[in-house]
Amino acid sequence: SSTDIRTHNSLVGWQAGFDLWANIVPGISLGTDLRAGVYGNHAKYNTHVTGSTTAAGTTADLRETATNNDIAVVGEANIMVIYRISPNWTFRGGYSALFLDGVALAPENFNSTNPFNNVRAVRELNDDGHVFYHGGFLGLEWLW
Protein backbone atom coordinates (compact mmCIF):
# COMPACT_ATOMS: atom_id res chain seq x y z
CA SER A 1 0.00 0.00 0.00
CA SER A 2 1.06 3.62 -0.41
CA THR A 3 0.02 6.81 1.32
CA ASP A 4 0.07 10.23 -0.35
CA ILE A 5 -0.40 13.25 1.93
CA ARG A 6 -0.61 16.73 0.47
CA THR A 7 -1.01 19.95 2.42
CA HIS A 8 -2.09 23.32 1.07
CA ASN A 9 -1.67 26.66 2.83
CA SER A 10 -3.41 29.75 1.42
CA LEU A 11 -2.10 32.83 3.20
CA VAL A 12 -3.82 36.20 2.89
CA GLY A 13 -2.71 39.21 4.90
CA TRP A 14 -0.37 42.15 5.28
CA GLN A 15 3.33 42.59 5.73
CA ALA A 16 5.54 45.50 6.71
CA GLY A 17 9.23 45.99 6.35
CA PHE A 18 12.13 48.21 5.49
CA ASP A 19 15.36 48.22 3.55
CA LEU A 20 18.65 49.94 4.25
CA TRP A 21 21.38 50.55 1.67
CA ALA A 22 24.91 51.94 1.89
CA ASN A 23 27.14 52.90 -1.00
CA ILE A 24 30.51 51.33 -0.12
CA VAL A 25 32.43 52.73 -3.11
CA PRO A 26 31.08 54.13 -6.39
CA GLY A 27 29.31 51.26 -8.16
CA ILE A 28 29.18 48.89 -5.14
CA SER A 29 26.30 48.96 -2.64
CA LEU A 30 25.52 46.82 0.38
CA GLY A 31 21.94 46.46 1.53
CA THR A 32 19.56 44.57 3.73
CA ASP A 33 15.82 44.26 3.92
CA LEU A 34 13.58 42.84 6.62
CA ARG A 35 9.88 42.04 6.32
CA ALA A 36 7.31 40.45 8.61
CA GLY A 37 3.62 39.78 8.25
CA VAL A 38 0.57 38.27 9.89
CA TYR A 39 -1.70 36.25 7.64
CA GLY A 40 -4.95 34.36 7.75
CA ASN A 41 -4.17 30.78 6.72
CA HIS A 42 -6.80 28.56 5.13
CA ALA A 43 -4.99 25.24 5.49
CA LYS A 44 -6.03 21.87 4.10
CA TYR A 45 -4.68 18.35 3.86
CA ASN A 46 -5.63 15.50 1.54
CA THR A 47 -4.64 11.91 2.29
CA HIS A 48 -4.97 9.17 -0.32
CA VAL A 49 -4.18 5.57 0.69
CA THR A 50 -4.02 3.09 -2.20
CA GLY A 51 -3.62 -0.65 -2.46
CA SER A 52 -4.38 -1.57 1.15
CA THR A 53 -5.95 -4.91 1.97
CA THR A 54 -9.19 -4.87 3.96
CA ALA A 55 -10.20 -7.46 6.56
CA ALA A 56 -12.24 -9.21 3.84
CA GLY A 57 -9.09 -9.64 1.74
CA THR A 58 -9.94 -7.08 -0.94
CA THR A 59 -7.96 -3.99 -1.87
CA ALA A 60 -9.46 -0.56 -1.57
CA ASP A 61 -8.59 3.13 -1.67
CA LEU A 62 -9.21 5.63 1.10
CA ARG A 63 -9.40 9.43 0.87
CA GLU A 64 -9.45 11.83 3.81
CA THR A 65 -9.45 15.61 3.97
CA ALA A 66 -9.56 18.24 6.70
CA THR A 67 -9.43 22.05 6.70
CA ASN A 68 -8.83 24.76 9.26
CA ASN A 69 -8.58 28.56 9.37
CA ASP A 70 -5.90 30.00 11.64
CA ILE A 71 -3.18 32.65 11.86
CA ALA A 72 0.27 32.30 10.27
CA VAL A 73 3.34 34.49 10.70
CA VAL A 74 5.99 35.06 8.04
CA GLY A 75 9.41 36.70 8.46
CA GLU A 76 11.96 37.38 5.73
CA ALA A 77 15.49 38.80 5.79
CA ASN A 78 17.95 39.43 2.98
CA ILE A 79 21.46 40.81 2.74
CA MET A 80 22.72 41.83 -0.69
CA VAL A 81 25.73 43.24 -2.51
CA ILE A 82 25.18 45.05 -5.79
CA TYR A 83 27.92 45.82 -8.31
CA ARG A 84 26.98 48.14 -11.15
CA ILE A 85 28.92 46.88 -14.17
CA SER A 86 27.56 49.57 -16.51
CA PRO A 87 24.60 51.95 -16.59
CA ASN A 88 22.38 49.06 -17.77
CA TRP A 89 23.95 45.98 -16.15
CA THR A 90 24.08 45.11 -12.46
CA PHE A 91 25.45 42.03 -10.74
CA ARG A 92 23.86 41.10 -7.42
CA GLY A 93 24.46 38.42 -4.83
CA GLY A 94 23.50 37.76 -1.27
CA TYR A 95 21.83 35.55 1.26
CA SER A 96 18.11 35.16 1.91
CA ALA A 97 16.15 33.63 4.81
CA LEU A 98 12.41 32.94 5.09
CA PHE A 99 10.58 31.68 8.20
CA LEU A 100 6.92 30.57 8.27
CA ASP A 101 5.04 29.65 11.45
CA GLY A 102 1.48 28.36 11.70
CA VAL A 103 1.39 26.28 8.52
CA ALA A 104 0.22 22.74 7.75
CA LEU A 105 3.00 20.28 6.90
CA ALA A 106 2.49 16.78 5.49
CA PRO A 107 4.65 14.86 8.02
CA GLU A 108 2.76 16.44 10.92
CA ASN A 109 -0.59 15.34 9.44
CA PHE A 110 0.25 11.67 8.88
CA ASN A 111 -2.34 9.31 10.41
CA SER A 112 -0.56 6.09 11.45
CA THR A 113 -3.76 4.19 12.28
CA ASN A 114 -4.52 1.30 9.91
CA PRO A 115 -6.74 2.87 7.24
CA PHE A 116 -9.06 -0.13 6.91
CA ASN A 117 -9.70 -1.34 10.46
CA ASN A 118 -13.07 0.47 10.98
CA VAL A 119 -11.79 2.54 13.92
CA ARG A 120 -9.71 5.09 12.01
CA ALA A 121 -10.99 8.62 12.42
CA VAL A 122 -10.07 11.53 10.19
CA ARG A 123 -7.40 13.51 12.00
CA GLU A 124 -7.95 17.13 12.86
CA LEU A 125 -5.64 19.27 10.74
CA ASN A 126 -2.41 20.27 12.47
CA ASP A 127 -1.43 23.74 11.28
CA ASP A 128 1.13 24.50 14.00
CA GLY A 129 4.12 23.66 11.79
CA HIS A 130 7.02 25.94 11.01
CA VAL A 131 9.65 25.92 8.30
CA PHE A 132 12.89 27.81 7.68
CA TYR A 133 14.30 28.26 4.19
CA HIS A 134 17.64 29.93 3.54
CA GLY A 135 20.35 30.12 0.95
CA GLY A 136 22.54 32.25 -1.25
CA PHE A 137 21.66 33.82 -4.58
CA LEU A 138 23.45 35.36 -7.55
CA GLY A 139 21.91 37.34 -10.36
CA LEU A 140 22.50 39.57 -13.34
CA GLU A 141 20.09 42.43 -13.91
CA TRP A 142 19.50 44.49 -17.03
CA LEU A 143 17.79 47.87 -16.84
CA TRP A 144 16.66 49.81 -19.88
Side-chain angles (χ1 to χ4, degrees):
S1 76
S2 68
T3 302
D4 180 32
I5 303 172
R6 296 180 186 226
T7 56
H8 305 273
N9 295 279
S10 299
L11 281 70
V12 177
W14 297 95
Q15 72 176 12
F18 68 92
D19 64 344
L20 181 64
W21 287 91
N23 189 14
I24 306 302
V25 295
I28 298 178
S29 298
L30 177 65
T32 186
D33 64 51
L34 300 171
R35 290 186 284 276
V38 177
Y39 298 83
N41 182 11
H42 177 71
K44 177 180 181 179
Y45 82 77
N46 294 306
T47 298
H48 182 201
V49 182
T50 58
S52 292
T53 304
T54 66
T58 60
T59 58
D61 288 356
L62 172 74
R63 293 184 185 274
E64 297 173 338
T65 188
T67 62
N68 194 24
N69 295 310
D70 210 343
I71 300 294
V73 177
V74 178
E76 182 180 0
N78 299 291
I79 187 164
M80 296 163 276
V81 174
I82 294 176
Y83 173 61
R84 183 164 303 280
I85 301 167
S86 72
N88 297 93
W89 289 98
T90 304
F91 177 77
R92 65 176 53 230
Y95 199 80
S96 187
L98 176 68
F99 177 77
L100 293 91
D101 187 33
V103 292
L105 304 173
E108 294 176 357
N109 284 285
F110 177 72
N111 188 344
S112 61
T113 306
N114 181 344
F116 300 105
N117 67 1
N118 297 330
V119 294
R120 178 172 165 139
V122 175
R123 289 177 57 119
E124 181 177 320
L125 181 119
N126 177 349
D127 61 2
D128 292 330
H130 58 272
V131 293
F132 180 62
Y133 300 105
H134 62 95
F137 62 89
L138 295 172
L140 188 62
E141 187 174 90
W142 180 66
L143 302 171
W144 67 91

